[in-house]
Amino acid sequence: MSRDIDTTPLRRHTAVSADGTEIAYRTLGAGPNLILVGGNLKTSEDYLPLASALAHSFTVHVVDRRGRGDSGPQGPGYSLAKEVEDLRAVQDATGARLAFGHSYGGLVILETARSFPLFDRIAVYEPGVPCAPVPTAWMAPFRERLAAGDDYGAFIHFIQGSGGAPDFMTRLPHWYLRMVFRMAFRGAAWQRMRPLLGACLAEHEQLAAQYGRLPEFADVTAPVLVLVGGRSKPAHQEEYATLAGTLPSAVLRTVGGLNHMGPSERKAAPAVAEQTLPFLL
């Protein structure tokens, strides 16, 4: 089910998920339909440069996952299963047989494809399928800081504790990072990110719950391109290689010079698209 919100060149639509939540997505380009699902602390706005690069060959539908953008809230019963229902609604509305997912969005696509043969080909960039236990010690202080209205304090706990930050950053004092973050995170990107901090916690709780399920992803039958940033931590690169080895039909490629956030960075979008296009075409 889909209805127009706006007009071209960037068309806005919504699909209605199984629980009645509206899931918004932006459409641009022409060609075979491709769904783009983003990661944690990101909205569809962050993926428009990548979508534009892909739109020369595809009709790209950039999803605002529940809890962000024009989509409905995560809701009290939030789970990965809800995200699967949302993706199925967008796929039903668009008829897309191709999908690209980044980080948590990659997990959503692979979890969907594991049970439902909706996609002919899938590309994922550092998908959030845990091959090792997910750090959770940061979650309690993050929740406390968020409840106190201290968004920067909560964000610092996330950055230092969730496992993605460079090692040196985990050793910096909290007061110093607060000063740096107040200067570094204050523009439009931070204003999009701040309302997503609560969703960030809920999504990482779901990530932690997926540990131990890696063998189940052998049920994904569609060919999958697994992209990994060349600047990502070696341990993380090994985990993505393990995932690629679990998927029955997967190709693993490294995108030199990029880190985990590559697909959502304007300057990195062309390199991600260059690796993705030949696989999906």
Side-chain angles (χ1 to χ4, degrees):
M1 177 178 178
S2 176
R3 56 186 176 81
D4 290 347
I5 300 176
D6 208 333
T7 58
T8 58
L10 188 65
R11 291 95 70 193
R12 297 174 183 262
H13 310 272
T14 58
V16 180
S17 193
D19 66 355
T21 301
E22 290 195 343
I23 305 300
Y25 58 97
R26 305 185 187 194
T27 300
L28 63 162
N33 289 287
L34 166 66
I35 296 175
L36 195 163
V37 186
N40 196 261
L41 291 175
K42 301 294 180 182
T43 72
S44 61
E45 186 76 20
D46 296 291
Y47 293 95
L48 291 183
L50 175 59
S52 296
L54 295 171
H56 297 292
S57 301
F58 301 103
T59 301
V60 186
H61 309 284
V62 193
V63 178
D64 266 315
R65 293 192 293 104
R66 63 171 56 209
R68 68 206 69 219
D70 293 327
S71 292
Q74 279 188 332
Y78 174 75
S79 66
L80 178 59
K82 292 288 187 182
E83 297 270 8
V84 170
E85 291 175 352
D86 300 345
L87 179 55
R88 292 182 66 193
V90 175
Q91 193 278 334
D92 182 62
T94 62
R97 302 292 300 180
L98 304 170
F100 179 99
H102 174 215
S103 191
Y104 193 86
L107 168 63
V108 172
I109 289 173
L110 292 176
E111 176 67 8
T112 303
R114 197 179 63 78
S115 300
F116 304 98
L118 300 179
F119 302 112
D120 296 329
R121 296 181 83 78
I122 295 166
V124 289
Y125 187 104
E126 301 201 357
V129 179
C131 298
V134 175
T136 58
W138 61 273
M139 293 183 178
F142 177 99
R143 187 180 289 106
E144 292 172 4
R145 289 294 86 215
L146 201 61
D150 181 8
D151 293 340
Y152 282 110
F155 188 53
I156 291 167
H157 282 297
F158 167 66
I159 292 296
Q160 288 193 311
S162 61
D167 292 337
F168 79 89
M169 192 174 290
T170 65
R171 298 190 292 268
L172 293 174
H174 193 95
W175 66 266
Y176 178 79
L177 282 179
R178 180 182 291 273
M179 179 180 64
V180 171
F181 280 19
R182 281 188 177 277
M183 293 186 291
F185 295 95
R186 57 181 180 179
W190 174 243
Q191 294 308 314
R192 289 196 301 272
M193 189 183 300
R194 287 181 69 176
L196 303 179
L197 290 171
C200 169
L201 177 60
E203 289 166 12
H204 276 80
E205 289 173 337
Q206 287 297 301
L207 278 176
Q210 307 313 309
Y211 176 61
R213 296 187 56 232
L214 178 63
E216 298 178 30
F217 289 88
D219 294 337
V220 177
T221 57
V224 180
L225 171 65
V226 181
L227 296 174
V228 181
R231 291 174 52 203
S232 294
K233 291 182 177 181
H236 292 169
Q237 294 188 37
E238 291 176 8
E239 291 178 14
Y240 299 124
T242 299
L243 170 63
T246 301
L247 297 167
S249 180
V251 176
L252 178 69
R253 291 182 188 155
T254 300
V255 188
L258 303 190
N259 59 20
H260 180 70
M261 303 312 299
S264 60
E265 294 178 344
R266 180 175 297 274
K267 291 182 179 180
V272 176
E274 182 180 2
Q275 292 290 332
T276 303
L277 283 167
F279 182 83
L280 294 181
L281 285 171

